[in-house]
Amino acid sequence: MLVTGGASGLGRAIVDRFVAEGAVVTILDRSADRLGEVAAKHGDAVRVVAGDVTSQRDNLAAVAAAVDAGGGLDVFIGNAGLWDFGRRLLDMSMTELENGYRELFDVNVKGYLIGARAAAEALIERRGAMIFSLSNAAFYPRGGGALYTASKHAGVGLVRQLAYELAPEVRVNAVAPGAMSTDLRGPDALGLQDRSITDVLPNEDAMKRFSALDLAPRPEAYVGTYVLLAARSESATVTGTVFDISAVGTPKR
Ligand SMILES: NC(=O)c1ccc[n+]([C@@H]2O[C@H](COP(=O)([O-])OP(=O)(O)OC[C@H]3O[C@@H](n4cnc5c(N)ncnc54)[C@H](O)[C@@H]3O)[C@@H](O)[C@H]2O)c1
């Protein structure tokens, strides 16, 4: 299987869980240092490819590494993303908006699309699955600004269309987690490359404000849904769906 953005946060939790389930996992991530840490922990169970999800070449290299490691590709998880820290429309100049759009959509939307394109044929061969990390922002406002919310809504369209095009061989679904403490960064174009979402969600109380269930989940809390969607034996009838596991849609009492 192949996971993008698997060196940190949610992606790292996905990698740890799938390795525990016995999978051989290839990771495409731009952080070479963190890839080294994952490789040191998991040894032969992971392959790492240092590269950028916006690059055709790096996506193709990652798929080739995953096929080589697993004798084929069963699961592609598009997960690497950027956040806009809820930057409001009126707080961006036109230039920031345009450049921020390009940078954020390049990762959150184009990265998913070209990753899917690179993986599709290998997945068809194995009757595999694609899973994308979306967000509460794929359904509701307030999980980001207009750039992030629009990018995650775009992900819903991607899932529906690819599920249609790739059926019956490949099931295509997404998971929409809610807030969690990770190292999620923002675009350079908005000066947010060195900020982390943890600066904004510094403690459990800040996260619980968003959850109807009063939870401040760690990334590990969300990964069970990925396991479910990856296993055809557990989710044979599921495609074109986004599992909203954010507990944001139910109003907080
Ligand atoms: N943290 C949250 O509250 C939250 C909530 C809902 C959804 N999400 C989604 O979860 C996903 C994972 O984010 P996270 O919170 O774990 O963040 P994170 O920054 O901890 O992990 C993301 C990883 O992606 C990598 N990455 C970023 N841009 C890349 C690029 N261009 N090429 C290759 N690798 C790149 C980073 O190096 C990092 O290792 C994202 O799609 C995000 O939108 C996060």
Side-chain angles (χ1 to χ4, degrees), residues 5 7-11 28-31 34 51-54 79-82 107 112 133-136 148 152 177-180 182-185 197 201:
S8 172
L10 177 60
L28 171 61
D29 199 291
R30 68 180 177 182
S31 168
R34 284 179 174 160
D52 198 302
V53 295
T54 66
N79 167 78
L82 294 180
V107 177
Y112 283 6
S133 291
L134 296 183
S135 162
N136 47 293
Y148 185 74
K152 292 297 179 181
M180 66 192 121
T182 66
D183 195 27
L184 188 58
R185 302 291 175 108
I197 192 170
L201 297 171

Side-chain angles (χ1 to χ4, degrees), residues 40-55:
K41 177 169 179 212
H42 289 305
D44 288 344
V46 303
R47 298 273 179 97
V48 298
V49 177
D52 198 302
V53 295
T54 66
S55 149

Side-chain angles (χ1 to χ4, degrees), residues 4-183:
T4 72
S8 172
L10 177 60
R12 174 64 197 268
I14 291 169
V15 170
D16 291 349
R17 174 66 186 274
F18 276 89
V19 168
E21 297 281 340
V24 176
V25 184
T26 299
I27 306 169
L28 171 61
D29 199 291
R30 68 180 177 182
S31 168
D33 289 351
R34 284 179 174 160
L35 284 174
E37 289 167 22
V38 194
K41 177 169 179 212
H42 289 305
D44 288 344
V46 303
R47 298 273 179 97
V48 298
V49 177
D52 198 302
V53 295
T54 66
S55 149
Q56 289 183 28
R57 195 194 53 195
D58 294 348
N59 277 285
L60 291 167
V63 168
V67 168
D68 181 55
L73 186 64
D74 296 303
V75 181
F76 167 66
I77 300 182
N79 167 78
L82 294 180
W83 193 41
D84 63 4
F85 289 76
R87 185 69 62 86
R88 296 167 73 89
L89 187 71
L90 292 175
D91 294 334
M92 287 180 279
S93 69
M94 285 289 233
T95 304
E96 283 175 328
L97 183 60
E98 276 201 57
N99 293 341
Y101 168 85
R102 199 169 305 117
E103 201 179 332
L104 189 140
F105 268 69
D106 261 8
V107 177
N108 291 12
V109 184
K110 187 181 100 175
Y112 283 6
L113 264 173
I114 63 174
R117 181 67 190 89
E121 276 113 356
L123 290 172
I124 289 169
E125 210 165 290
R126 290 283 279 260
R127 294 179 64 78
M130 288 185 192
I131 308 170
F132 297 99
S133 291
L134 296 183
S135 162
N136 47 293
F139 299 100
Y140 317 108
R142 214 163 80 99
L147 289 175
Y148 185 74
T149 302
S151 78
K152 292 297 179 181
H153 274 65
V156 179
L158 189 68
V159 164
R160 292 188 176 139
Q161 182 66 27
L162 295 187
Y164 166 71
E165 291 186 20
L166 298 176
E169 289 88 0
V170 181
R171 295 175 306 110
V172 183
N173 295 291
V175 178
M180 66 192 121
S181 184
T182 66
D183 195 27

